[in-house]
Amino acid sequence: MSLHLIIGDKLYSSWSLRAALALDLTGEPYTEELIKLNQPDTRERLLKHSPTGKVPLLKTEHGTIADSLAIAEYLAEQFPDAGLWPKDTAARAQARSACAQMHSGFFAMRGNMPFDLSHDAPLSPTPPEVQAEIQCMLALWAECRAVATETGPFLFGGATLADAFFAPIAVRLRTYQVKLPEADAAYVETIYQWPAFKAWRKAGLEEIER
């Protein structure tokens, strides 16, 4: 299958990161095209690929798929043996629920803690709405771990789409120096040691030098 992923800057595009990690989980080869964001020609270039004018976009033999959640579901459907969702029914349901909540919520964290792989400073002060969302996020992670039926350092044991969706949150928590309980700090470290994420982060930080 031919898979071509269109992304934004790796340094800044959290949505693109999700799609790239999802693709890595399939183990399938794919090509990648980076369109720099916030440039005079950014929207024009993106509109050549999709009327959404946004990233990520996945070009497939079945058409162009926009939106990271749609891309994730497409990949899970096309590669059922890759284990993108947990095998256990309850765990799989929780994983889907967690991804949907991440996809459509946590706006205070997003607005006050922009995704930037090079950032390294705490919020001062931390707005109460951000602190409340951080606690909700940690509770959501705990719910995922509680129904996991497999062992391993990721939310459901082995890496799944849930981890792809929460990787940008792990970045925010680390780059804004949020103090975390031991289990959550260990999970953030797991994301940072994930080979696919490490490769993305390395490439993102290299963008600063160009």
Side-chain angles (χ1 to χ4, degrees), residues 108-130:
M109 289 183 71
R110 292 177 182 174
N112 290 275
M113 303 167 71
F115 182 89
D116 179 349
L117 289 165
S118 67
H119 186 84
D120 188 22
L123 282 179
S124 184
T126 301
E129 62 270 24
V130 172

Side-chain angles (χ1 to χ4, degrees), residues 160-183:
T160 68
L161 289 171
D163 305 295
F165 269 72
F166 286 112
I169 291 296
V171 170
R172 287 180 168 95
L173 294 174
R174 175 160 292 189
T175 58
Y176 288 88
Q177 301 178 8
V178 177
K179 293 182 179 179
L180 299 170
E182 183 177 352

Side-chain angles (χ1 to χ4, degrees), residues 1-5 18-19 22-23 25-26 28-30 57-85 96 161 165:
M1 178 181 291
S2 175
L3 298 168
H4 181 63
L5 181 65
R18 291 186 178 99
L23 271 164
L25 288 171
T26 70
E28 295 293 318
Y30 69 94
L57 297 164
L58 182 63
K59 290 194 167 186
T60 78
E61 63 189 49
H62 302 108
T64 298
I65 303 168
D67 188 276
S68 57
L69 188 56
I71 291 170
E73 289 288 11
Y74 173 82
L75 293 173
E77 181 182 79
Q78 293 299 309
F79 305 104
D81 296 332
L84 273 65
W85 291 120
R96 281 197 163 101
L161 289 171
F165 269 72

Side-chain angles (χ1 to χ4, degrees), residues 131-154:
Q131 188 59 48
E133 285 194 356
I134 290 173
Q135 294 308 310
C136 286
M137 178 64 63
L138 301 186
L140 184 56
W141 287 359
E143 291 172 8
C144 293
R145 288 191 290 262
V147 297
T149 58
E150 300 178 16
T151 58
F154 292 92

